[in-house]
Amino acid sequence: MDFVTTNYIWAITAFMSGAGLIFLTIRQKVSGPRLSPAQATQLINREDAQVIDVRDQAEWSKGHINGARHIPAGEIPKRLGELEKFRQRPLIVVCASGQRSASACSALRKAGFEKVFALDGGIGAWEQAGLPLTKK
């Protein structure tokens, strides 16, 4: 106990580090598998994956992945019927940074979609990889 009181900064740092790791592990379990932009491109090309962009309208208008379907994250439960025809195909869920896609992936899994992936790093990672966006 003397060590902890003498080195409280190290103890707090260790606690925060452990809490962060636990949080990331839980988030990974909830959102499911994450794909890099390169892996997402392969899945799109090889297995005809459908991209679901869950960003809001203003973000979507600035640019999105070609062929993506726009369904804001909050509307996923109400608009599941639109995705029914993609049930057998892999779904890649995209947001701005990879945070909102986790809840959308969870909602899709609860609705019975099995092949659901989140784009790790979101549209930002897609752009950093030099991959194209469209405004059409």
Side-chain angles (χ1 to χ4, degrees):
M1 201 59 170
D2 286 335
F3 176 80
V4 173
T5 57
T6 307
N7 299 296
Y8 67 92
I9 292 180
W10 290 111
I12 291 171
T13 302
F15 174 77
M16 295 301 287
S17 176
L21 287 172
I22 291 169
F23 172 75
L24 290 174
T25 302
I26 291 170
R27 189 183 87 178
Q28 177 71 24
K29 297 275 186 203
V30 169
S31 70
R34 298 176 95 56
L35 300 175
S36 69
Q39 291 170 318
T41 302
Q42 287 179 344
L43 199 60
I44 292 166
N45 291 335
R46 293 182 182 165
E47 296 186 40
D48 197 27
Q50 176 63 50
V51 177
I52 309 297
D53 195 319
V54 296
R55 298 175 299 153
D56 63 34
Q57 184 61 44
E59 293 171 308
W60 166 266
S61 298
K62 291 179 185 174
H64 51 272
I65 297 171
N66 191 31
R69 189 174 216 70
H70 181 234
I71 303 177
E75 296 179 19
I76 291 280
K78 294 183 279 187
R79 296 175 62 184
L80 285 171
E82 295 176 34
L83 300 174
E84 204 53 46
K85 60 186 167 192
F86 305 117
R87 188 169 285 278
Q88 301 305 316
R89 291 168 50 185
L91 297 178
I92 302 171
V93 182
V94 179
C95 66
S97 64
Q99 300 300 318
R100 285 177 280 180
S101 60
S103 61
C105 285
S106 179
L108 288 167
R109 272 196 198 78
K110 285 179 185 174
F113 291 86
E114 294 178 13
K115 300 176 191 174
V116 181
F117 306 90
L119 181 62
D120 198 19
I123 264 314
W126 185 270
E127 286 181 295
Q128 283 181 338
L131 295 167
L133 295 176
T134 185
K135 293 184 181 183
K136 294 180 184 178

